[in-house]
């Protein structure tokens, strides 16, 4: 290359380097992602339907108006596939600055999430009780703030109770006795809420607690229930299937159910009672109302000689900040607004459940923004919860849910004995116990 040409190349390179430095100075710290106009860009991701997304987006818009130096980029989807994408992002260091995390994922991500004690002032941690923070704490680190607390209660189609002259049940014996007052094809009870599988791990954990008085696991995630305990719980469930108190898996599979669509067993009046989360109360109420049915609260049925009422609570989801975020304080500021600002709570109402945040819940209660039945169910859960079962929610995990479905299929189609089912389910819990230990 000629000397003059080389000089030109070097000069152009120097100019380009200078320009890059100037632009970098205008944009902020090296390595941070900044929005146009010099604003700090914060990314946030969540899952949910259209109404939830619309409410969160509206609240974010208000946040941006109050914080003109911050630009928020939203990423949202349905629940299906959310975890897979989040896992990839956290592993690659590309996760949004604010993420929703399911309670069952915390141990998996514990080394990839920020200890929120580092931003406790910016995030408004004082609005949360210690027991609420304990639900998202591992190894003395607060890994997320719970949006809402869920209880799994029993609700009734009051219209059907009235039609068949049945008093609202208060015990499992009452529920079993309903069989004699209902026609063939109408079942007293549906396990599994809005889901299509017709069974709930939450129900199994409740049964185990009622029968044994034990929590499924302790604070250190040691499994406390034995294989014999699982057998007793599955025998109770199998008895309910054989007596046609609840439909078998074979009946469910032939019931025309479609994921994402209203449950035909519920909306067509084929079941009288159902268990469901408090956060989904309004959804169930709305679906039944379209069929001219009235939803009412039953609560927590008692079991003869029960050793616990089996009432436990589950954080619906957490707001967390990845440790890789370059905008941790701005992310904390956004979370603080969405969870603790009265204006933001009025916008979002109970789209993500009844708020755990003290300010959030007080705001909605003061302005009567919590639907009556949801408020009644939540208050009952608060009153009845057995604090000895505080860590039960940690065991609601994908592998255990899948195994439970296999077990219910086996029992429903008579391909598996209760002994075999208990052995298989206990094994899945023991394997999960080992996974907890590995994550420490």
């Amino acid at each position: 290359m000629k000397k003059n040409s080389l000089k030109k190349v070097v000069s152009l390179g120097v100019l380009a380097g200078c320009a890059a430095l100037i632009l970098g100075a205008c944009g902020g710290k090296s390595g941070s992602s900044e929005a146009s106009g010099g604003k700090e860009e914060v990314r946030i991701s969540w899952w949910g339907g259209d109404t939830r997304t619309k409410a969160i987006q509206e609240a974010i818009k208000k946040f941006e108006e109050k914080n003109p130096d911050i630009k928020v980029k939203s990423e949202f989807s349905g629940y299906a596939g959310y975890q897979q994408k989040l896992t990839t992002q956290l592993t690659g260091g590309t996760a949004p600055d604010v993420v929703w995390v399911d309670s069952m994922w915390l141990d998996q991500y514990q080394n990839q999430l920020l200890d929120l004690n580092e931003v406790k002032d910016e995030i408004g941690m004082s609005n949360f009780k210690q027991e609420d923070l304990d639900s998202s704490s591992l190894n003395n680190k607060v890994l997320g703030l719970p949006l809402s607390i869920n209880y799994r209660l029993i609700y009734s189609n009051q219209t059907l109770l009235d039609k068949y002259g049945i008093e609202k049940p208060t015990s499992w014996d009452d529920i079993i006795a309903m069989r004699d007052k209902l026609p063939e094809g109408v079942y007293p009870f549906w396990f599994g809420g809005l889901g299509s599988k017709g069974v709930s791990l939450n129900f199994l954990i409740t049964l185990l607690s009622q029968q044994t008085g034990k929590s499924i696991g302790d604070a250190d995630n040691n499994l406390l229930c034995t294989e014999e305990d699982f057998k007793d719980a599955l025998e109770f469930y199998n008895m309910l299937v054989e007596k046609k108190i609840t439909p078998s898996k074979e009946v469910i599979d032939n019931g025309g159910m479609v994921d994402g669509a209203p449950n035909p067993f519920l909306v067509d009046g084929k079941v009288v009672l159902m268990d469901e989360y408090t956060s989904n109360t309004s959804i169930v109420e709305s679906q039944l109302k379209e069929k001219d049915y009235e939803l009412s609260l039953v609560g927590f049925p008692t079991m003869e000689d029960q050793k616990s009422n089996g009432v436990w609570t589950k954080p619906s989801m957490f707001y967390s900040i990845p440790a890789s975020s370059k905008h941790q304080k701005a992310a904390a500021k956004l979370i603080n607004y969405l969870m603790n600002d009265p204006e933001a709570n009025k916008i979002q109402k109970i789209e993500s459940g009844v708020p755990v945040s003290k300010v959030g819940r007080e705001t909605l209660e003061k302005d009567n923004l919590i639907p009556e039945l949801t408020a009644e169910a939540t208050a009952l859960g608060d009153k009845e919860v057995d604090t000895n079962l505080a860590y039960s929610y940690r065991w609601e995990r994908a592998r255990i849910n899948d195994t439970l479905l296999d077990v219910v299929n086996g029992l429903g189609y008579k391909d598996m004995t209760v002994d075999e089912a208990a052995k298989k389910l206990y094994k899945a819990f023991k394997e999960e116990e080992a996974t907890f230990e590995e994550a420490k």
Side-chain angles (χ1 to χ4, degrees), residues 124-249:
M125 199 179 289
S126 60
N127 279 289
F128 297 83
K129 299 177 183 177
Q130 187 57 50
E131 55 261 40
D132 296 325
L133 297 177
D134 288 344
S135 70
S136 60
S137 297
L138 288 173
N139 301 320
N140 298 315
K141 295 180 180 180
V142 179
L143 303 178
L145 294 185
L147 275 81
S148 59
I149 290 295
N150 263 329
Y151 298 101
R152 192 96 181 189
L153 304 93
I154 291 179
Y155 298 83
S156 67
N157 184 325
Q158 186 63 45
T159 307
L160 292 184
L161 286 178
D162 295 341
K163 177 180 178 179
Y164 296 112
I166 301 173
E167 292 291 325
K168 191 173 290 187
T170 60
S171 68
W172 286 112
D173 286 342
D174 291 343
I175 294 172
I176 292 170
M178 288 171 59
R179 177 68 276 166
D180 294 335
K181 296 185 177 182
L182 296 173
E184 187 73 20
V186 178
Y187 295 85
F189 200 86
W190 171 269
F191 296 116
L194 292 170
S196 62
K197 296 178 176 64
V199 69
S200 163
L201 179 60
N202 310 74
F203 159 69
L204 176 73
I205 293 174
T206 292
L207 276 185
L208 283 163
S209 300
Q210 286 186 314
Q211 291 176 327
T212 69
K214 301 175 186 176
S215 171
I216 192 73
D218 62 18
D220 296 320
N221 299 320
N222 297 306
L223 182 64
L224 301 180
C225 291
T226 65
E227 185 176 326
E228 191 64 26
D229 294 333
F230 282 96
K231 180 182 175 182
D232 290 341
L234 289 174
E235 279 182 341
F236 187 88
Y237 166 76
N238 203 45
M239 175 272 294
L240 296 177
V241 171
E242 290 180 345
K243 289 189 174 183
K244 297 185 178 180
I245 307 303
T246 191
S248 70
K249 193 61 171 64

